[in-house]
Amino acid sequence: MNNLGTALLNRFERRGNLANIDRAISVEEDAVRLTPHDHPDKPRYLSSLGTALLTRFERLGNLADIDRAISVEEDAARLPPHDHPDKPRYLNNVGTALLNRFERLGNLADIDRAILVREDAVRLAPHDHPDKPRYLNNLGTVLLTRFKRLGNLADIDRAISVEEDAVRLIPHDHPDKPTCLSNLGSSLFTRFKHLHDVASLNNAILAFSAAARSSAGPSSVRLRAALQWIRCAHLIPSESLLNAYALAIDLIPQAAWLGLPLQDRHRELLVRAADVVRDAAADALARGYYNTAVERLELSRSVVWSQLLQLRTPLDELQSRDSTLANRLRQVSYELEQGSGNDMIRIEMKNDIKLSLEEQVGRYYGLAMERETILSEVRCLPGLERFLLPKTVSQLAPSAHSGPVVILNASQYGCDALVLLAESDDVLHVPLADITYDQVQKLQESLNQLLSENGRVLSPMDRAIEFSPINRSPDESFKLILSVLWKKVVRPVLDALALSTPNAGELSRVFWCPTGPFSFLPIHAAGLYDDADTGPKLSDFVISSYTPTLSALALPSHEGTTANTMCLAVVPQPASDGLTRLPGAQIEIGHIKTMLQSSPSTPVSLVESIGTVDDVLTKMKESDWIHIACHGVQNAHSPLDSGIVLAGGRHLMLRDVIKLARRRGGLAFLSACQTATGNEDLPKEAVNLATGMLLAGYGGVVSTMWSIKDSDAPEVVKSVYEQLFQDGNLPDYRQAAKALHYAVKRLREEHNVPFVSWASFVHIGL
């Protein structure tokens, strides 16, 4: 029964299903109850129950769980005699539970007692005990915690001392070595912040760098160490900063793609990694390494952005090419990430045979070597030569085949534009010297406030919303935001591209790839909108599209349609969803039908969905284009649950869309609110349904950055489709950006709608 509980706990930690942890606790309670008090395995069963209760507390925060975890761990520690080999482990577990409760409630008695029991664990463990370094390291952790609360220098000095002992005792290639080094670095850095002792800071850098460079240990631990190393190296002149950034960049794919559950701590790590990648790009730019900056930013967008959403990983392509290699790599990587000496569950499942320090090192070294062997085999496959390595600029340059691609980097160390041109492997660097990261953030915050005041963000789900009366004109606020974007962001880029005068003829395309807070600003609408509306505007110079990554602009290997006809699926708002009706949705569909009927020679067949989730997914898979005119919803707390409201109030969610396996190409027209909106939980990444459509295989997407007015959408839809279908031939989805450009221009100029109405419409992709 105890073993069953352990297996259930393992599955919970892998998949996060609460039913598993609840059942694990239940069967472990039965194991404890059925075991006599004097049975030699009673302490182990109690400890297993305590571990499961603590795990559930960490997930749900129920105080009853942590109180009971402490109680059963104390029972486990009391039962064995002092010379029992497992006594130190049980005492250490008591300390872990007490530390968790202290961090939740702040009761000093808990942290004092945690220190006492962990001191006992260290004292009782023989010098050659395989877990001695871990007990020393854990004692240092609680001493550091108490120092942060009380500021007693004796605590931080002792924490450093015992953590140095842990580092000395643990072998070089042991999987726990990076953790011990990182904890030592944290204590040294804390001492520096308290005393401004430069020697402590230098030693912290040495500890963090050694942890990050380690050949052993989970990649997530080493990435955290690299991030701390960067933080420290910025505080003093340090030649190690360039190496720290480079190592962090190398570790991101390893920490991100391994197929592990994206628990909160892992997700948070990747958000911080995205910040650091932008800082790394700024550092590379300051050194004149423009290509390096682009490669780092693309890595951030293609790995971090995808993994935050649990989207496609590099393993998907390998799986389709060689499933045996993919499965081997997945399993070995998982064991490397989870198989540290801290994993008591793994040790217990090895028939209670404790591995010595040397045996643990040998096992981990074997796994690491096997992973390198597998990676070497993978990189021998055609097209996978740089598997889990950043793409080079020469590989990324073809992304600019339809027009310049402008990456907007926002870092606390500077804002810059990086331009890729199809005819050149050289990156054009445009410093955005007149705007700072804080100013970009303030622009984003101002826009959010403006939209909220106008009812455009307050409601999580709407398309037919009416404007709320306010005391000031929102257009004036929009003018200010768009003028700042024009003067400080867009105009410098246009000047660098020699686009200084409006083009009276055919406009060229520009693809914007914004990062950080730039991701939530309407770059496409930048301009000077004076009272006479005669000021320069970006739309006078170019047709703007967005892209989440450079790789997303790669040309498909084949067209979305293989015949001389195409199928367009339309999804009008279903009648049974219980929400406000959208008269405009039916008008949109009517425009499309009328247009096709008036041109019977156009080789397009129209199919209409019944509006259920299953039917819409089927239509998406079977049709070439799709037009959705429904209520949209952006889930502020779970990006994967954002999507479209369909029949019966059910949602077509981002998590459903990204599972589609459809042929590449075609247009997705999302005439719904907030389908290109950002997410408050991931404030530095644009996570939405529109970019998910690209991952599902669509070549281009028309979408909205915020809520739209129901009467505006039909005007835009009519104009876009008239342009796309005007010659009676098979339409090209790659002309959608141009069609949207002129449709929005007409809406703004002829219908005189406010900024909040027309600036929401955007094009993403090719």
Side-chain angles (χ1 to χ4, degrees):
M1 298 185 86
N2 182 74
N3 292 347
L4 173 58
T6 297
L8 286 162
L9 179 59
N10 269 328
R11 188 162 67 180
F12 168 75
E13 291 180 336
R14 181 68 179 258
R15 298 180 180 174
N17 189 327
L18 284 172
N20 285 321
I21 188 63
D22 291 341
R23 190 159 170 243
I25 290 171
S26 177
V27 297
E28 285 171 350
E29 286 173 333
D30 289 341
V32 168
R33 187 174 58 252
L34 292 173
T35 306
H37 191 69
D38 57 352
H39 192 286
D41 286 337
K42 182 84 168 189
R44 182 162 64 90
Y45 301 158
L46 284 163
S47 185
S48 294
L49 173 58
T51 298
L53 287 163
L54 177 59
T55 301
R56 189 167 69 180
F57 168 75
E58 290 173 341
R59 174 67 180 271
L60 299 179
N62 190 328
L63 287 175
D65 280 340
I66 189 62
D67 291 342
R68 191 149 169 255
I70 291 170
S71 176
V72 296
E73 293 287 8
E74 287 174 332
D75 290 342
R78 266 195 304 269
L79 287 176
H82 278 293
D83 58 350
H84 192 284
D86 285 336
K87 182 84 169 183
R89 175 160 65 92
Y90 299 141
L91 288 165
N92 181 73
N93 291 350
V94 174
T96 299
L98 286 164
L99 178 59
N100 271 266
R101 189 167 69 181
F102 170 77
E103 289 174 341
R104 174 67 181 273
L105 299 178
N107 189 331
L108 285 173
D110 281 340
I111 194 67
D112 291 341
R113 192 148 163 259
I115 290 172
L116 289 175
V117 294
R118 284 191 165 172
E119 286 174 335
D120 288 342
V122 168
R123 186 172 59 254
L124 290 176
H127 190 70
D128 58 352
H129 193 287
D131 289 333
K132 182 87 170 188
R134 181 158 60 92
Y135 300 151
L136 286 162
N137 181 70
N138 290 348
L139 174 57
T141 299
V142 289
L143 286 164
L144 175 61
T145 301
R146 189 168 69 180
F147 171 76
K148 289 179 178 179
R149 176 65 181 272
L150 300 179
N152 188 332
L153 283 176
D155 279 341
I156 190 63
D157 289 342
R158 187 153 174 252
I160 292 170
S161 176
V162 296
E163 285 164 350
E164 287 174 336
D165 289 342
V167 168
R168 273 194 298 270
L169 278 179
I170 200 163
H172 177 67
D173 289 323
H174 192 280
D176 278 350
K177 188 82 169 186
T179 298
C180 293
L181 284 163
S182 290
N183 288 348
L184 172 59
S186 295
S187 294
L188 287 162
F189 186 47
T190 301
R191 190 176 194 278
F192 160 75
K193 289 188 293 183
H194 191 79
L195 298 178
H196 304 291
D197 173 19
V198 176
S200 291
L201 179 60
N202 285 323
N203 288 332
I205 290 174
L206 291 175
F208 286 132
S209 62
R213 288 189 174 112
S214 176
S215 59
S219 52
S220 56
V221 172
R222 289 182 284 139
L223 176 56
R224 284 189 178 91
L227 299 182
Q228 286 292 87
W229 176 10
I230 290 167
R231 182 184 177 190
C232 292
H234 267 293
L235 297 177
I236 56 175
S238 175
E239 293 301 319
S240 71
L241 185 58
L242 185 63
N243 293 331
Y245 275 129
L247 187 56
I249 299 298
D250 289 342
L251 287 168
I252 287 172
Q254 299 178 40
W257 79 275
L258 295 175
L260 302 174
L262 280 180
Q263 299 172 16
D264 289 342
R265 61 181 181 274
H266 190 59
R267 189 164 170 264
E268 180 184 332
L269 171 65
L270 294 180
V271 172
R272 287 191 284 117
D275 291 339
V276 167
V277 169
R278 293 196 304 275
D279 293 344
D283 180 73
L285 291 173
R287 301 170 190 268
Y289 302 151
Y290 303 152
N291 287 17
T292 299
V294 169
E295 291 162 6
R296 288 176 173 180
L297 287 168
E298 175 66 5
L299 179 82
S300 166
R301 302 300 282 175
S302 61
V303 174
V304 177
W305 180 85
S306 296
Q307 290 306 304
L308 287 169
L309 276 73
Q310 296 171 291
L311 302 179
R312 312 259 195 270
T313 74
L315 196 60
D316 295 323
E317 184 177 359
L318 177 59
Q319 187 76 41
S320 65
R321 300 277 296 277
D322 191 323
S323 59
T324 301
L325 269 181
N327 292 334
R328 283 174 59 201
L329 184 56
R330 180 187 291 109
Q331 182 60 34
V332 169
S333 297
Y334 179 76
E335 290 186 42
L336 280 170
E337 190 69 11
Q338 296 293 300
S340 73
N342 284 328
D343 191 351
M344 294 187 299
I345 294 174
R346 178 183 64 79
I347 295 174
E348 286 185 354
M349 294 187 74
K350 292 285 185 181
N351 298 318
D352 292 333
I353 299 175
K354 288 188 180 296
L355 303 178
S356 69
L357 287 171
E358 290 73 19
E359 289 170 330
Q360 291 174 24
V361 170
R363 180 179 181 278
Y364 201 90
Y365 181 77
L367 287 170
M369 292 303 296
E370 183 178 357
R371 184 175 187 273
E372 290 304 313
T373 299
I374 296 171
L375 286 175
S376 297
E377 293 180 41
V378 172
R379 289 168 184 159
C380 289
L381 297 175
L384 294 178
E385 293 83 2
R386 293 193 62 81
F387 181 77
L388 288 186
L389 297 173
K391 290 184 178 180
T392 63
V393 165
S394 61
Q395 291 174 305
L396 295 170
S399 299
H401 54 81
S402 297
V405 182
V406 183
I407 304 170
L408 297 176
N409 188 49
S411 163
Q412 60 182 317
Y413 303 109
C415 294
D416 302 87
L418 296 162
V419 185
L420 269 72
L421 302 168
E423 63 273 12
S424 174
D425 284 347
D426 294 328
V427 174
L428 177 62
H429 175 219
V430 184
L432 303 178
D434 293 332
I435 196 165
T436 66
Y437 180 86
D438 289 341
Q439 290 171 337
V440 179
Q441 275 196 315
K442 287 178 181 177
L443 280 180
Q444 179 195 336
E445 292 165 3
S446 298
L447 178 63
N448 290 344
Q449 181 180 1
L450 173 62
L451 295 172
S452 296
E453 289 173 350
N454 282 276
R456 292 310 177 105
V457 174
L458 287 177
S459 172
M461 176 172 55
D462 88 276
R463 197 190 104 156
I465 194 164
E466 295 298 329
F467 290 132
S468 302
I470 56 173
N471 295 325
R472 61 184 178 82
S473 167
D475 276 5
E476 293 304 315
S477 298
F478 261 102
K479 286 180 181 180
L480 177 60
I481 292 171
L482 297 180
S483 68
V484 172
L485 289 176
W486 169 258
K487 295 173 184 176
K488 300 187 176 185
V489 179
V490 169
R491 188 64 199 235
V493 173
L494 293 183
D495 288 343
L497 290 172
L499 295 171
S500 301
T501 44
N503 191 342
E506 186 77 11
L507 296 180
S508 59
R509 296 276 300 276
V510 168
F511 297 82
W512 301 96
C513 185
T515 72
F518 276 129
S519 301
F520 304 97
L521 292 170
I523 307 296
H524 63 286
L528 301 182
Y529 297 86
D530 53 32
D531 292 337
D533 203 25
T534 57
K537 306 165 188 67
L538 177 59
S539 57
D540 297 332
F541 298 83
V542 297
I543 294 170
S544 292
S545 292
Y546 292 92
T547 183
T549 68
L550 299 178
S551 302
L553 296 177
L555 283 169
S557 56
H558 55 79
E559 290 298 323
T561 53
T562 56
N564 293 322
T565 62
M566 62 164 272
C567 176
L568 168 60
V570 294
V571 187
Q573 183 205 14
S576 60
D577 64 2
L579 297 174
T580 306
R581 298 296 297 144
L582 297 176
Q586 292 299 332
I587 296 173
E588 289 178 29
I589 305 305
H591 285 326
I592 297 172
K593 290 179 178 178
T594 299
M595 182 189 54
L596 291 177
Q597 290 168 358
S598 64
S599 180
S601 62
T602 301
V604 177
S605 61
L606 188 71
V607 296
E608 185 167 334
S609 171
I610 61 175
T612 64
V613 171
D614 290 341
D615 186 59
V616 172
L617 287 170
T618 299
K619 294 291 191 295
M620 290 175 67
K621 190 171 183 179
E622 295 177 351
S623 62
D624 302 291
W625 291 21
I626 192 162
H627 182 96
I628 299 176
C630 301
H631 285 288
V633 54
Q634 175 72 10
N635 191 306
H637 303 292
S638 177
L640 287 172
D641 294 331
S642 300
I644 301 295
V645 185
L646 296 175
R650 289 190 60 200
H651 294 178
L652 172 67
M653 295 184 290
L654 176 55
R655 68 172 72 251
D656 302 317
V657 169
I658 61 178
K659 294 176 184 176
L660 278 181
R662 67 179 304 279
R663 55 184 176 272
R664 179 84 190 279
L667 176 70
F669 198 126
L670 304 179
S671 185
C673 296
Q674 305 180 28
T675 45
T677 306
N679 177 272
E680 67 183 26
D681 281 0
L682 301 174
K684 306 296 184 349
E685 299 292 332
V687 176
N688 50 58
L689 184 65
T691 45
M693 286 286 185
L694 289 183
L695 286 161
Y698 288 98
V701 183
V702 174
S703 187
T704 58
M705 291 188 76
W706 51 78
S707 300
I708 55 176
K709 200 173 181 181
D710 189 50
S711 59
D712 295 330
E715 297 293 335
V716 173
V717 168
K718 182 175 184 293
S719 180
V720 167
Y721 282 103
E722 281 178 348
Q723 294 177 73
L724 289 174
F725 290 79
Q726 62 185 345
D727 57 6
N729 296 321
L730 197 66
D732 184 352
Y733 73 87
R734 288 172 292 187
Q735 295 299 311
K738 176 182 177 181
L740 180 66
H741 175 91
Y742 289 107
V744 171
K745 182 179 177 68
R746 183 180 304 167
L747 179 69
R748 180 175 69 85
E749 295 179 350
E750 296 181 10
H751 296 269
N752 196 30
V753 298
F755 286 87
V756 74
S757 293
W758 64 264
S760 177
F761 292 94
V762 293
H763 179 268
I764 302 172
L766 292 175

